[in-house]
Structure formats: C-alpha cells, structure tokens
Amino acid sequence: MSDSCIFCKIVAGAIPSKKIYEDDLVLAFLDIHPQAPVHALVIPKRHIVCMDDLEEADRELVGHLLERTAHVARLLNVAQNGYRTLINTRAHGGQEVDHLHVHILGGARIGPMVCR
Ligand code: 5GP
Ligand code: ZN
C-alpha cells in the first residue's frame, strides 16, 4: 500500500467507491469521471505503479486481473455488444493515477483511438 495513492485508499475503504466486484487480489469500481455510458476500473489490490513495473512473478496476478476484467464486463452487461479495455502507462500513455488499472469502456460505440 502507498499512503499517497488514491486507489490504495479506495482498496482500504478510506475513500468511497461504487464497487462492482472484489476478491482477494483485485477490485473493480466505477470511474468517478465516466468517459462512456459504462466506465469501470479494475485494479490489483497490491500497489503496482504501472505496466512497466510488472515482473515475471506477477504473471498469475495479471492473468487473473484480465480474466476478472472480462467477468466485470459481463456483470456490467457490456460484454455482448462489446467494450474497450485500456491501460495507460506513464505520461505519454496518459496515466494520471499511478496504480495499475484496466479501464472498461462500454455502453455505446467507443470512438477511434487517436493521437493528439
Ligand atoms: P488514467 O488516466 O490514470 O488511466 O485513469 C485514471 C482514472 O481514474 C480516470 O479515469 C479518473 O476519472 C479516475 N479516478 C481518479 N480519481 C478517482 C477516484 O477518486 N475515484 C474513482 N472512482 N475514480 C477516480
Ligand atoms: Zn496504490
């Protein structure tokens, strides 16, 4: 846990969130500023800053995170029509919260990926 990390505080329950799914390893909750009709985040409970911090020892956790992301998309009823998953890494990737998270965006057709 990082004392200064918003998502660690959400995991600890110190900051409220609209929780969708939780198990020992991961937590899913709604994004506070949704960019789509359905916008959720799925995070490892352990503080991992970003993709670039992943190591071989994290393979099982990452597999679980991705499989549970698919589960959460089904819980949110976006799986059948489809959704976009997104992981931003550091400044050029647009990462604002330094705790690894998978975005789920759905509920409407998500626009093209753009560079701007
Ligand atoms: P990033 O840009 O780092 O990939 O995405 C961070 C996401 O976290 C943003 O979509 C932002 O709206 C969301 N976010 C930031 N702070 C909070 C918070 O306190 N609660 C929730 N639920 N989402 C947050
Ligand atoms: Zn954290």
Side-chain angles (χ1 to χ4, degrees), residues 77-103:
N77 289 315
V78 295
Q80 196 162 2
N81 286 329
Y83 55 91
R84 180 165 300 165
T85 45
L86 192 67
I87 301 175
N88 296 324
T89 302
R90 297 199 174 124
H92 283 191
Q95 184 174 12
E96 288 179 358
V97 176
D98 289 338
H99 181 131
L100 181 65
H101 50 282
V102 183
H103 293 261

